Amino acid sequence: THLAPGTYVFRVQGSNSVGVWNEEPVEMTIVIHPPWWRSNPAYVAYALLVIFAVWQTWRFQVNRVKMKAQLAYEQRETERVKAMEQLKTDFFSNITHEFRTPLSLILEPARRIMAQTTDPGIRENANRVETNSLRLLNMVNQLLDLAKIEHKNMGLDLRHGDLGEAVGKTFNSFLPLAEKRGIHLTLSLGKNIPPFLFDPDKTELILNNLLSNALKFTPKGGTVEVSLESNQEAMGGVGLSTVIKVKDTGIGIPAGALAKVFDRFYQVQEEVLPLKKGAPVQQIPGSDQPASKGGVLDGVSADGANADQDPDNPAKTAGTGIGLALSKELVELMGGGIAVESEVGRGSTFSFWLPMTALTPTDAPLPEKETALLSLSSEERSRYSPSDFLPGIPGYGESGKEMDKASAIGEAGASVALIIEDNVELRDFIKQSISAHWQVEEASDGEEGIQKAIELVPDLVISDLMMPGKDGYAVCEALKANEITAHIPVILLTARASMDSKLKGLQKGADDYLTKPFNTEELLVRMSNLVEMRQKLRAHYGKLPLGTALSDSDGGSDYLSNPDKEFLRRFVEVLDNNLENDMLGVEEFAQKMFISRSQLHRKLKALTDQNATDFIRDYRLERAMEMLKNQEGLVIEIASRVGFSNEKYFSTAFKEKFGLSPSRV
């Protein structure tokens, strides 16, 4: 009907056939209802929906704001925790680095005492000091390795080699300890295991930890077996691997602790065995707490080969919970895995496997190191003296005589070493250690060290790496960039033993890198080697004409750095500009170079093995030889032009240098 919803009255008035209408019309009420979507309930529903939508929108916005605030809070908390962890790790890393300086002042004096005394009691106490210092150093090294792995700074040094040979070497190093403790140590190497790429240092460290634990927790009369074999199942059947097992007949590990023995700082504490009546309460292995009345079992100490052990009661041995965690991290870093099987009272078997990576054509095998002092470990080096390797080094053997410490800087035979170290005790110790063979100068920080190096021009610089203000890197960079000091060999002495630190130091121009704690004999050998190498290079290139030595061609002096060449070029330029001035002495030349006489003398001596007077005279004679060959004048004229006012002296000096008189050129 197209009528709007509502109530309508329909009236009808009719007429008959003759045209008569009825007086009252007929009415009919018609109610047209709206469609359901326009009904009152619908409008109520619409209102409710609007209210609900508004409420939901408000709720969504509130939740969105809350979620945004929560996410921001969680992000801030994550960053805070991360910053705290980084701060803790940095603090921990710096503290452990700082341990190396006092360790240097403990280890070396102990070694000296053992070398200088014959009293058995004193030697025993000194040996105990050295042993415990090495134990502390071992723990510091493992903690630093864990920190590097945590920050993903631990790299691999893969080498193509025989794993069996590396395992055998580590095995042999434990034989004396096993024999001393009455433990039968055996080795079984599988056949037909080809050489492959692996990291020998990290593999040795893992095997060291496992073997030391096995020996610590195996009683006298027990057995420790080491085996090496190839196995495809260890890698899930996807590749060939080598499996190294260390099996012992020790006290075992409780089942509840097996899943946790590779956790950092975890130490076993479980009641697994009843104690015999009257037996003393034993200490839980790897813990500082005594066992409860129920009993103890093994533990796994994880601190390496230097831990204390009671050979009659291995369960009393305590550990730190570091070594096994580090071993697991290192194995996984190399793409392998590690596992343990154990039964209380019967022993444990630790196994770790490494993927056998073949050598590709792009991989170049590293050259074998010579069996020399510098390729040995610190402990191996301590068994030798420098004279065993370098009998001709000044200061060792028959030629080593006490030098006059009051001699002037640069006196013949008095090599000068500058020590830059902020730790007073360590600086004094190094000075005491080398003062019998070197004239020693000191600086307490990097800035002072740079100034003293420029002022004194020493033969060698020993610099600490971590110092307030300018650190060792800055010192090395500054010295190598300065033309006065560019030739001076620099040894960086540091607690940072990572490869990245070493590479950075070498990139800054360091000639050698020695980590704390160091062996003083090794330091002396390295110092003498650097100076001796400079002397040999100087003697070889010193025979070249000065023009050839200063050239940048292949025939030039490769041992001269660019700042060194620039210094000689400037000095030659000053000489050329004053060639005819026979009244100009060394002092005047030094002033024109804007340096002191002693700096000029020591710099020229270091580069050319000549003092300033001889260098100036020889240069004038070389220029005279060039002029005579080019027939640029009479002998007396040329002598005057190169700064010789006395013709007779010129002829004598010329003949002494070239073997013929100037008139015969």
Side-chain angles (χ1 to χ4, degrees):
T1 61
H2 302 292
L3 290 175
T7 302
Y8 297 88
V9 177
F10 182 65
R11 293 183 179 89
V12 178
Q13 189 176 13
S15 65
N16 55 19
S17 58
V18 295
V20 178
W21 295 84
N22 61 332
E23 295 181 358
E24 292 186 10
V26 178
E27 295 182 356
M28 183 176 61
T29 302
I30 300 173
V31 178
I32 298 177
H33 295 285
W36 65 268
W37 61 84
R38 293 180 63 183
S39 63
N40 290 332
Y43 285 122
V44 172
Y46 295 154
L48 292 176
L49 284 175
V50 170
I51 294 172
F52 181 76
V54 171
W55 177 73
Q56 282 291 350
T57 303
W58 174 82
R59 184 182 177 188
F60 173 77
Q61 291 295 334
V62 169
N63 288 340
R64 183 169 174 270
V65 172
K66 287 183 178 180
M67 184 175 295
K68 187 176 181 180
Q70 180 68 20
L71 289 175
Y73 170 77
E74 290 178 356
Q75 185 176 1
R76 288 194 305 269
E77 189 67 14
T78 301
E79 292 176 354
R80 187 186 69 82
V81 172
K82 186 178 179 180
M84 289 295 294
E85 288 293 329
Q86 182 66 41
L87 183 64
K88 181 178 68 174
T89 302
D90 291 343
F91 172 78
F92 175 74
S93 180
N94 289 333
I95 284 294
T96 49
H97 276 127
E98 290 304 318
F99 284 162
R100 292 178 178 269
T101 296
L103 278 173
S104 300
L105 295 171
I106 296 173
L107 272 171
E108 282 307 300
R111 288 169 178 164
R112 286 191 182 185
I113 292 172
M114 286 192 293
Q116 295 172 359
T117 185
T118 58
D119 185 283
I122 296 177
R123 289 181 61 86
E124 181 180 356
N125 287 332
N127 182 66
R128 187 175 291 113
V129 171
E130 182 187 26
T131 300
N132 283 277
S133 298
L134 290 173
R135 178 190 311 167
L136 180 58
L137 176 62
N138 180 59
M139 287 190 288
V140 167
N141 289 337
Q142 294 195 14
L143 288 170
L144 289 174
D145 285 342
L146 280 175
K148 284 190 287 186
I149 292 175
E150 183 175 341
H151 285 79
K152 303 186 184 304
N153 291 332
M154 176 72 77
L156 291 177
D157 182 18
L158 297 177
R159 304 193 178 196
H160 190 259
D162 185 355
L163 181 59
E165 182 179 343
V167 170
K169 180 180 177 182
T170 305
F171 172 84
N172 291 333
S173 68
F174 279 88
L175 285 175
L177 179 62
E179 183 178 355
K180 179 181 178 181
R181 294 179 176 175
I183 300 173
H184 186 51
L185 185 60
T186 64
L187 173 64
S188 173
L189 297 178
K191 297 181 180 180
N192 301 323
I193 299 179
F196 64 98
L197 287 173
F198 68 98
D199 190 321
D201 292 336
K202 293 178 178 59
T203 304
E204 180 183 354
L205 178 58
I206 297 166
L207 187 56
N208 262 325
N209 282 331
L210 299 184
L211 267 174
S212 64
N213 279 335
L215 291 174
K216 280 189 293 184
F217 299 115
T218 299
K220 186 176 181 180
T223 301
V224 175
E225 302 175 4
V226 180
S227 63
L228 170 66
E229 58 187 18
S230 60
N231 190 338
Q232 191 163 3
E233 294 180 359
M235 299 296 292
V238 297
L240 193 62
S241 67
T242 54
V243 181
I244 301 175
K245 294 184 179 180
V246 178
K247 182 178 181 181
D248 64 69
T249 57
I251 51 181
I253 306 173
L258 288 177
K260 301 178 181 178
V261 293
F262 296 109
D263 292 348
R264 296 183 184 183
F265 309 112
Y266 176 75
Q267 297 167 335
V268 178
Q269 301 185 37
E270 292 220 5
E271 300 179 6
V272 292
L273 289 176
L275 292 174
K276 294 181 180 179
K277 184 177 181 179
V281 177
Q282 297 173 317
Q283 185 176 355
I284 296 173
S287 171
D288 295 328
Q289 303 297 327
S292 59
K293 292 184 292 185
V296 285
L297 196 209
D298 172 65
V300 177
S301 164
D303 57 327
N306 293 317
D308 290 327
Q309 178 183 3
D310 181 351
D312 297 324
N313 192 354
K316 290 186 177 181
T317 302
T320 59
I322 301 172
L324 285 180
L326 177 61
S327 298
K328 180 176 183 293
E329 299 277 7
L330 292 177
V331 169
E332 293 177 350
L333 183 66
M334 292 187 285
I338 189 169
V340 58
E341 299 175 355
S342 185
E343 185 176 347
V344 173
R346 303 194 65 175
S348 306
T349 301
F350 282 85
S351 307
F352 71 95
W353 52 92
L354 302 174
M356 296 180 65
T357 307
L359 184 68
T360 64
T362 57
D363 295 322
L366 295 177
E368 293 291 332
K369 295 181 178 178
E370 297 179 358
T371 309
L373 182 63
L374 299 183
S375 66
L376 301 177
S377 66
S378 297
E379 292 187 45
E380 290 171 325
R381 290 189 194 107
S382 63
R383 304 171 190 166
Y384 301 95
S385 67
S387 57
D388 294 332
F389 293 86
L390 300 169
I393 293 179
Y396 295 103
E398 296 179 359
S399 62
K401 298 180 180 180
E402 187 73 20
M403 294 187 299
D404 182 9
K405 296 182 177 62
S407 60
I409 294 291
E411 182 181 341
S415 296
V416 181
L418 173 62
I419 303 173
I420 308 174
E421 169 63 61
D422 60 321
N423 186 288
V424 178
E425 291 184 352
L426 183 58
R427 190 169 71 244
D428 291 342
F429 176 74
I430 298 174
K431 179 180 180 179
Q432 179 187 358
S433 302
I434 68 175
S435 59
H437 317 298
W438 291 74
Q439 183 176 341
V440 181
E441 296 293 326
E442 302 175 64
S444 60
D445 56 53
E447 189 65 43
E448 182 186 356
I450 294 172
Q451 295 301 323
K452 279 201 170 184
I454 295 173
E455 176 186 350
L456 303 175
V457 194
D459 297 289
L460 184 136
V461 171
I462 302 171
S463 176
D464 188 22
L465 181 59
M466 300 175 66
M467 295 183 292
K470 290 186 180 294
D471 60 9
Y473 294 139
V475 169
C476 191
E477 193 171 22
L479 294 183
K480 294 300 180 179
N482 191 304
E483 62 181 29
I484 302 296
T485 57
H487 68 284
I488 301 175
V490 178
I491 297 178
L492 285 181
L493 189 64
T494 178
R496 294 187 180 274
S498 67
M499 182 57 66
D500 290 341
S501 298
K502 292 180 180 180
L503 290 176
K504 184 176 179 180
L506 295 174
Q507 289 169 355
K508 296 293 184 181
D511 297 87
D512 211 337
Y513 200 100
L514 198 60
T515 57
K516 302 174 185 177
F518 57 89
N519 187 302
T520 52
E521 292 187 347
E522 178 187 2
L523 175 62
L524 283 166
V525 169
R526 289 177 182 255
M527 293 170 66
S528 298
N529 276 350
L530 286 173
V531 173
E532 185 180 10
M533 180 177 65
R534 294 286 305 184
Q535 290 173 346
K536 289 180 178 179
L537 289 171
R538 189 169 59 208
H540 173 73
Y541 287 105
K543 300 175 183 178
L544 297 174
L546 187 59
T548 303
L550 294 179
S551 69
D552 295 324
S553 62
D554 294 338
S557 297
D558 296 333
Y559 91 103
L560 290 178
S561 65
N562 289 331
D564 290 336
K565 291 181 179 180
E566 183 60 30
F567 175 84
L568 288 177
R569 288 192 184 107
R570 283 206 307 119
F571 187 57
V572 167
E573 184 180 354
V574 172
L575 282 174
D576 286 334
N577 293 336
N578 298 273
L579 196 60
E580 296 183 15
N581 190 349
D582 61 334
M583 301 302 294
L584 205 62
V586 176
E587 190 74 36
E588 289 74 22
F589 275 115
Q591 291 177 4
K592 292 182 178 294
M593 292 287 292
F594 303 103
I595 58 177
S596 68
R597 178 190 177 98
S598 62
Q599 286 176 316
L600 178 61
H601 169 78
R602 291 189 59 76
K603 180 68 178 182
L604 289 175
K605 187 71 176 176
L607 296 181
T608 66
D609 203 23
Q610 290 181 305
N611 57 40
T613 302
D614 291 341
F615 182 87
I616 294 170
R617 184 196 60 188
D618 284 357
Y619 181 76
R620 283 172 163 166
L621 291 174
E622 287 180 3
R623 288 300 310 273
M625 173 62 84
E626 292 178 12
M627 293 179 185
L628 288 171
K629 287 182 177 179
N630 295 331
Q631 298 181 355
E632 297 181 15
L634 299 175
V635 172
I636 188 172
E637 294 174 347
I638 291 176
S640 177
R641 288 169 60 184
V642 296
F644 285 88
S645 58
N646 189 316
E647 182 183 0
K648 184 177 180 180
Y649 174 66
F650 170 71
S651 299
T652 302
F654 190 93
K655 186 173 183 178
E656 181 181 343
K657 179 171 178 61
F658 297 109
L660 74 165
S661 63
S663 60
R664 300 186 60 183
V665 176

